[in-house]
Amino acid sequence: MRRWLHWLTLPIAAVLLLFNLRRLIFTIVALFGKYPRKTVALDSSFSLHPSVLILVPCRNEAATLPGLIDCLDRLEYPADRLHIALIDDGSIDATGELIDRAVRNRSNWSAIPTPINRGKPQALNAALAQIDFGDVIVVYDVDHRPEPGSLVTLIAAFDDPLVAGASGETKPINPTASWPAYYAAVESLVHQLITMRAKDQLDLAPALLGSNCAVRRSALRQAGGFRSGALLEDSDLTLRLTRLGYRLRFVPESIAWHQVPESIEGFIQQHMRWSRGFNDVARDHLIVLLRDRSVPPRVRIESALFALGYLDRLALLSALGMQTIDRVVGRVFNFPKSILQLSLAMPFIQIAAVFQSERVSKSMWRRFPVIPILFCLDIFVAARSMIDSLLNRPRVWTKTQRIHEVKP
């Protein structure tokens, strides 16, 4: 019996080894790569000079929308090549009035009202159906604050005709406002400046983000638009574009500031949505992606690992459970301690490496000891969302919790 139980440890150990090898490679490439890919600023030599349609989906954002409107006014891009659409997705506050006021005296702005709340993907699709303008579609969430030069830098990635999508860097405005905000900021920092930067350098289809991202309209149309009802419409679109043979880019020079959740409740809601969204993405894409021989093997493997999302957290939780049973009952599973120790240490090595590389403030370093506590909460959320997915419990979209307006 113990032999069979020991065999159960092998797939879990394999998952942990694979994800940690991936972390190690990405960390080395992102921080020490000799040939980083850079995106130059758009200038007169830029071959496309594409028209740009900015979409801003809004749902009860009266407190936050004015700050984004100010930032959109300051974006550096030719006015005759830019159109901005503010989408009121069934708001019940003063959002609609603010949108009407914003577009009234701006010739290249439009208001897209939808009387019933239909969710972000459906709101984006509704705007695309009404506005033909735009070779490239750019999406900003209401809480984001793009820097003036961020758009022109992001659009420059489309000088390559094979590029279908690009994401800029999103930086938290409030990383030290609370412990949950700190953990969310650290998570974002590692994901973008290690994982996405390395995937961009290795041409492994870095993921599209939900905001400060751009998609070529023709490719978006070919992919079928934004998937209605998706909790992670950006991740879903990432894999659909990858399967169509397009390239994706990460452009860290294009910066937009945003607010991360400051409460435990907001943190859990956001991560539950992300985790269940990844479960949906894996269900919809994993098998067909692995069978799709038109996608290069290295891209196929990395895209499959991306689709699996939080699987490493579930594997780590299983390994900790086996190790605990081994300590209490005896050598039942005999899970390799070295693999468990590596899995616990590797995320913190990544964090320390990116902290050192980015020269973060002392206040960020001082909060480092709280990371393991919130990492446990992160693992709990991944386990809970997997149970909800297996039981097919209702999927509820919740917007990111924001406490107040914070300026970068």
Side-chain angles (χ1 to χ4, degrees):
M1 182 63 180
R2 293 197 174 192
R3 177 184 296 179
W4 287 108
L5 290 175
H6 177 63
W7 282 103
L8 290 176
T9 67
L10 296 183
I12 295 173
V15 168
L16 291 176
L17 279 175
L18 183 60
F19 273 89
N20 280 293
L21 177 61
R22 176 177 179 258
R23 285 193 181 98
L24 179 61
I25 292 173
F26 284 172
T27 302
I28 293 173
V29 170
L31 301 182
F32 306 106
K34 293 182 179 180
Y35 305 103
R37 300 172 62 192
K38 291 187 179 293
T39 300
V40 296
L42 184 66
D43 57 25
S44 59
S45 66
F46 184 51
S47 61
L48 294 181
H49 285 288
S51 56
V52 173
L53 171 62
I54 293 178
L55 300 180
V56 181
C58 310
R59 164 72 175 169
N60 297 334
E61 298 285 4
T64 313
L65 183 57
L68 176 60
I69 291 174
D70 290 341
C71 289
L72 295 179
D73 270 334
R74 292 195 294 269
L75 287 176
E76 298 167 357
Y77 206 83
D80 62 329
R81 307 298 291 165
L82 180 66
H83 193 92
I84 298 173
L86 304 179
I87 312 164
D88 180 10
D89 188 23
S91 298
I92 57 175
D93 64 356
T95 298
E97 298 172 12
L98 286 173
I99 290 176
D100 291 339
R101 194 182 311 149
V103 306
R104 192 172 299 148
N105 298 318
R106 295 175 172 90
S107 59
N108 60 334
W109 289 46
S110 295
I112 308 293
T114 57
I116 300 175
N117 173 235
R118 298 191 293 176
K120 181 179 178 179
Q122 294 94 317
L124 295 173
N125 287 332
L128 289 172
Q130 294 186 42
I131 303 176
D132 292 332
F133 185 92
D135 299 318
V136 177
I137 309 301
V138 175
V139 178
Y140 291 117
D141 286 342
V142 181
D143 68 311
H144 279 63
R145 303 292 179 261
E147 294 187 348
S150 61
L151 178 61
V152 75
T153 306
L154 184 64
I155 298 302
F158 292 87
D159 194 22
D160 181 348
L162 291 179
V163 170
S167 292
E169 183 181 351
T170 60
K171 289 188 175 185
I173 296 174
N174 56 331
T176 58
S178 67
W179 298 127
Y182 173 73
Y183 184 84
V186 169
E187 192 177 39
S188 174
L189 193 67
V190 172
H191 174 63
Q192 294 183 76
L193 298 187
I194 290 186
T195 302
M196 290 185 61
R197 180 181 285 173
K199 290 176 71 168
D200 182 66
Q201 292 184 30
L202 297 171
D203 201 13
L204 290 175
L208 294 174
L209 301 177
S211 180
N212 195 27
C213 68
V215 186
R216 197 182 298 274
R217 189 176 194 130
S218 58
L220 179 61
R221 186 183 300 114
Q222 187 180 354
F226 296 97
R227 184 184 291 273
S228 298
L231 292 176
L232 287 181
E233 80 290 337
D234 48 358
S235 298
D236 177 84
L237 183 59
T238 296
L239 293 182
R240 282 189 286 138
L241 292 173
T242 300
R243 287 168 51 192
L244 289 171
Y246 289 108
R247 296 172 62 192
L248 302 174
R249 292 292 315 275
F250 174 57
V251 187
E253 300 87 358
S254 173
I255 296 173
W257 298 84
H258 72 115
Q259 188 178 149
V260 291
E262 296 184 9
S263 70
I264 291 291
E265 179 187 3
F267 175 90
I268 291 176
Q269 287 179 349
Q270 184 185 65
H271 282 68
M272 281 289 293
R273 174 164 55 88
W274 287 350
S275 190
R276 289 211 64 179
F278 270 118
N279 293 341
D280 293 345
V281 168
R283 178 199 62 204
D284 295 337
H285 292 280
L286 184 59
I287 300 301
V288 67
L289 179 65
L290 290 174
R291 291 176 177 175
D292 191 349
R293 297 186 179 277
S294 65
V295 180
R298 61 190 181 85
V299 177
R300 201 185 317 164
I301 293 171
E302 168 52 32
S303 297
L305 293 176
F306 167 74
L308 290 170
Y310 288 73
L311 180 62
D312 61 329
R313 290 165 171 81
L314 299 177
L316 180 57
L317 181 62
S318 300
L320 288 169
M322 290 178 176
Q323 186 70 238
T324 301
I325 292 173
D326 284 347
R327 283 180 171 273
V328 175
V329 179
R331 297 172 67 85
V332 176
F333 294 98
N334 197 25
F335 192 89
K337 291 183 179 180
S338 58
I339 295 179
L340 181 57
Q341 291 168 350
L342 174 65
S343 301
L344 291 172
M346 192 63 205
F348 300 101
I349 293 174
Q350 278 191 308
I351 295 168
V354 78
F355 273 23
Q356 182 64 31
S357 173
E358 295 299 309
R359 295 182 174 87
V360 300
S361 65
K362 291 181 180 179
S363 62
M364 293 287 285
W365 279 107
R366 284 197 297 267
R367 289 167 169 80
F368 198 96
V370 79
I371 293 177
I373 299 173
L374 289 167
F375 185 54
C376 293
L377 181 61
D378 197 359
I379 293 175
F380 164 77
V381 170
R384 170 65 187 276
S385 66
M386 178 58 72
I387 294 172
D388 288 350
S389 294
L390 293 174
L391 296 178
N392 199 27
R393 289 173 175 164
R395 298 156 62 258
V396 179
W397 189 92
T398 56
K399 77 176 184 179
T400 301
Q401 185 183 80
R402 294 186 285 273
I403 308 301
H404 47 73
E405 172 72 13
V406 182
K407 294 184 179 181

